Amino acid sequence: MKFYNAGLYMQFFDSWRLATVLLICHFISACGFAIDSAVTISGEVPRSDQPFLNDPEEFQFVVVGDRTGGHRPGIFSHAMTQINLLRPEFVVCVGDLIEGYTDNADEINRQWQHIEKTIGTLEMPFFYTVGNHDISNPIMAEIWRQRLGSEYYSFIYRDVLFISLSTEDPAVEMSEAVIESQNRLEKMMQDQPLQTQEKLLQMARQRSSVTLPGQVAISSNQVDFVQRTLQKNAEVRWTILLMHKPAWQYDSPEFTKIETMLQDRNYSVIAGHEHYYSYTKRYGQDYIDMGTTGGVWLKDGPGRSDHITWVTMTRKGPVFANIKLDGVFDKHAINKPE
């Protein structure tokens, strides 16, 4: 009668099973099959060892900059075509979509109808943010509410909190002289856009800085809204704050309160208004001031560019890629604005 050592037998069996599994995996890999049914790669395929960037937690969206303040015709509509080529999941903006600065309701609605038709060519959602050209008086504010709804709001997309602020709360009204000057600029940009733009840049080169008129206005009600929103969504993985005027560059006690509320979380801030791209690190977070997406150029230098910002939200936070509008073209040819 033979006696078997049960422990030795099980150890042999486990070793044999492991070797068999490894052999099968090697055979599958060599033959071009894949354990992940979405990927089939032979072991003989020359490639690097980096994993595929297909994390289901990641998503992409686009930010567009100022269109107006004396817009250059065709740029913004061209950007919509290019965004469709890139196919982000959605688009957000930093305001100033219409020229505004009028209390003529018919003209205001006409301008909104034009821009909404342009935005309607996008194949994905577009989220609005209030700019000073969008709301420059009580009549424009009322038309905004009628056409678009709230002037400030929030939404959550895949565990990321987006908050769109209004820096025109209430509307910051300009003097008659400023409005007349703005209206003259708009007409010149429509009649002779290239010549007018070049004259503005020549003037900018002769000045050390350009200060835009106006101030940041954020009501106490809006501060309370932000506080409630942050408290309700304390566990989100990131917070994106959108606004038109870069409030951190202004003396705004209300925005200081909002920044204080944000200090216990990861967040990023994106604004516009200055028509010149700039980046700063503040409280250890990214603060971005967008360049233009069709708006007039008021400063010269490396930040003067028509662009969109492609944002990939990763597990570690957003990755920003600024794409110049003349750097995207379809399969047929390089697209140029008409």
Side-chain angles (χ1 to χ4, degrees), residues 89-212:
E89 295 179 40
F90 59 93
V91 180
V92 299
C93 80
V94 293
D96 271 11
L97 293 171
I98 67 172
E99 294 293 356
Y101 283 114
T102 177
D103 56 7
N104 184 319
D106 290 339
E107 174 60 18
I108 297 167
N109 281 304
R110 185 196 68 78
Q111 292 182 21
W112 277 119
Q113 288 168 2
H114 173 77
I115 196 62
E116 287 168 359
K117 182 178 179 181
T118 303
I119 291 171
T121 62
L122 287 175
E123 299 173 4
M124 66 289 298
F126 181 98
F127 292 87
Y128 294 79
T129 293
V130 169
N132 54 290
H133 281 267
D134 305 318
I135 295 182
S136 54
N137 57 53
I139 294 175
M140 293 191 69
E142 182 58 31
I143 290 176
W144 171 284
R145 298 184 194 107
Q146 291 173 359
R147 300 187 71 96
L148 297 169
S150 179
E151 298 162 53
Y152 50 87
Y153 60 89
S154 69
F155 68 93
I156 293 178
Y157 188 82
R158 296 174 67 173
D159 200 34
V160 175
L161 173 63
F162 290 80
I163 302 177
S164 178
L165 298 181
S166 170
T167 52
E168 311 300 315
D169 178 25
V172 179
E173 297 192 54
M174 298 295 178
S175 68
E176 288 296 328
V178 170
I179 293 175
E180 289 176 6
S181 176
Q182 182 63 49
N183 289 338
R184 285 197 302 270
L185 173 60
E186 291 166 15
K187 187 176 188 310
M188 291 169 64
M189 287 297 293
Q190 294 307 301
D191 295 342
Q192 295 182 311
L194 296 179
Q195 297 90 327
T196 302
Q197 180 61 86
E198 183 53 37
K199 288 180 181 178
L200 287 171
L201 289 176
Q202 289 177 1
M203 294 171 59
R205 295 177 190 122
Q206 297 171 2
R207 298 192 299 267
S208 59
S209 63
V210 177
T211 302
L212 296 178

Side-chain angles (χ1 to χ4, degrees), residues 229-249:
T229 301
L230 294 176
Q231 290 174 345
K232 182 180 177 180
N233 301 283
E235 302 302 323
V236 294
R237 58 178 169 138
W238 210 271
T239 298
I240 302 288
L241 209 63
L242 301 163
M243 67 189 72
H244 180 62
K245 292 174 181 172
W248 64 93
Q249 298 180 22

